[in-house]
Amino acid sequence: PPNGALKLNVDAHPSDDGRWGLGMVLRTEDGKCVGAATKVVRGSHDILEGEALGLNAVIDLAKTFSVDQIIIEVDSSSIVDAMNKRRHNRSYWG
Protein backbone atom coordinates (compact mmCIF):
# COMPACT_ATOMS: atom_id res chain seq x y z
CA PRO A 1 0.00 0.00 0.00
CA PRO A 2 1.03 3.65 -0.28
CA ASN A 3 2.76 5.43 2.62
CA GLY A 4 0.49 5.85 5.63
CA ALA A 5 -1.94 3.16 4.50
CA LEU A 6 -2.38 -0.45 5.57
CA LYS A 7 -3.30 -3.45 3.44
CA LEU A 8 -5.72 -6.04 4.77
CA ASN A 9 -5.85 -9.38 2.95
CA VAL A 10 -8.53 -12.00 3.54
CA ASP A 11 -9.22 -15.47 2.21
CA ALA A 12 -11.85 -18.08 2.95
CA HIS A 13 -11.50 -21.86 3.09
CA PRO A 14 -14.47 -24.26 3.24
CA SER A 15 -14.76 -27.22 5.58
CA ASP A 16 -16.86 -30.32 4.97
CA ASP A 17 -19.56 -29.28 7.45
CA GLY A 18 -20.46 -25.97 5.77
CA ARG A 19 -18.35 -23.77 8.01
CA TRP A 20 -15.72 -21.40 6.61
CA GLY A 21 -12.28 -20.69 7.97
CA LEU A 22 -11.30 -17.07 7.37
CA GLY A 23 -7.73 -15.82 7.46
CA MET A 24 -6.85 -12.13 7.64
CA VAL A 25 -3.45 -10.38 7.55
CA LEU A 26 -2.79 -6.66 8.06
CA ARG A 27 0.47 -5.21 6.68
CA THR A 28 2.26 -1.88 6.42
CA GLU A 29 3.57 -0.27 3.22
CA ASP A 30 6.91 -2.07 3.66
CA GLY A 31 5.26 -5.49 4.08
CA LYS A 32 5.62 -5.79 7.84
CA CYS A 33 2.82 -7.70 9.52
CA VAL A 34 0.83 -5.52 11.93
CA GLY A 35 -1.61 -8.25 12.86
CA ALA A 36 -3.37 -11.41 11.78
CA ALA A 37 -6.59 -13.13 12.73
CA THR A 38 -8.60 -16.22 11.97
CA LYS A 39 -12.31 -16.78 12.34
CA VAL A 40 -14.73 -19.63 11.74
CA VAL A 41 -18.20 -18.76 10.45
CA ARG A 42 -21.24 -20.76 9.40
CA GLY A 43 -22.18 -20.76 5.75
CA SER A 44 -22.94 -23.07 2.89
CA HIS A 45 -20.71 -24.92 0.44
CA ASP A 46 -20.85 -22.05 -2.07
CA ILE A 47 -17.48 -20.36 -2.66
CA LEU A 48 -19.00 -16.91 -3.34
CA GLU A 49 -20.84 -16.98 -0.03
CA GLY A 50 -17.60 -17.92 1.74
CA GLU A 51 -15.70 -15.08 0.07
CA ALA A 52 -18.51 -12.64 0.92
CA LEU A 53 -18.40 -13.79 4.55
CA GLY A 54 -14.65 -13.16 4.51
CA LEU A 55 -15.11 -9.66 3.12
CA ASN A 56 -17.73 -8.89 5.77
CA ALA A 57 -15.41 -10.09 8.54
CA VAL A 58 -12.47 -8.07 7.24
CA ILE A 59 -14.58 -4.91 6.97
CA ASP A 60 -15.61 -5.40 10.62
CA LEU A 61 -11.94 -5.80 11.54
CA ALA A 62 -10.90 -2.70 9.55
CA LYS A 63 -13.38 -0.59 11.52
CA THR A 64 -11.36 -1.24 14.69
CA PHE A 65 -8.24 0.55 13.37
CA SER A 66 -7.82 4.30 13.45
CA VAL A 67 -6.04 4.65 10.11
CA ASP A 68 -6.92 7.07 7.31
CA GLN A 69 -6.65 4.44 4.57
CA ILE A 70 -6.95 0.66 4.57
CA ILE A 71 -6.78 -1.25 1.30
CA ILE A 72 -8.71 -4.53 1.36
CA GLU A 73 -7.71 -7.36 -0.96
CA VAL A 74 -9.78 -10.44 -1.72
CA ASP A 75 -9.12 -13.06 -4.39
CA SER A 76 -12.65 -13.36 -5.78
CA SER A 77 -13.21 -11.31 -8.93
CA SER A 78 -16.98 -11.81 -8.57
CA ILE A 79 -16.95 -10.19 -5.13
CA VAL A 80 -14.68 -7.36 -6.31
CA ASP A 81 -16.89 -6.70 -9.37
CA ALA A 82 -20.01 -6.62 -7.19
CA MET A 83 -18.40 -4.14 -4.79
CA ASN A 84 -17.14 -1.90 -7.61
CA LYS A 85 -20.65 -1.56 -9.08
CA ARG A 86 -21.65 0.31 -5.88
CA ARG A 87 -25.24 -0.79 -5.90
CA HIS A 88 -27.16 -3.27 -3.78
CA ASN A 89 -26.31 -6.83 -4.78
CA ARG A 90 -29.51 -8.84 -4.96
CA SER A 91 -27.87 -12.27 -5.10
CA TYR A 92 -28.31 -14.66 -2.17
CA TRP A 93 -24.87 -13.68 -0.84
CA GLY A 94 -25.33 -9.94 -1.42
Side-chain angles (χ1 to χ4, degrees):
N3 261 348
L6 297 175
K7 184 177 284 188
L8 191 48
N9 295 84
V10 62
D11 201 11
H13 180 76
S15 66
D16 291 337
D17 62 1
R19 295 182 301 159
W20 286 87
L22 308 176
M24 299 165 266
V25 178
L26 182 66
R27 296 175 195 236
T28 61
E29 66 272 359
D30 57 359
K32 291 183 181 173
C33 181
V34 175
T38 59
K39 184 174 183 177
V40 176
V41 295
R42 293 187 188 268
S44 70
H45 294 285
D46 184 84
I47 189 69
L48 285 179
E49 181 179 357
E51 295 288 344
L53 290 168
L55 178 61
N56 190 51
V58 83
I59 289 171
D60 288 343
L61 180 62
K63 290 177 186 177
T64 66
F65 295 98
S66 56
V67 179
D68 290 335
Q69 185 179 12
I70 294 180
I71 298 168
I72 297 174
E73 281 190 348
V74 298
D75 63 356
S76 170
S77 61
S78 296
I79 299 294
V80 171
D81 290 345
M83 293 298 295
N84 285 336
K85 289 181 182 174
R86 297 181 185 257
R87 61 179 186 241
H88 183 69
N89 186 317
R90 299 199 182 274
S91 69
Y92 66 93
W93 53 267

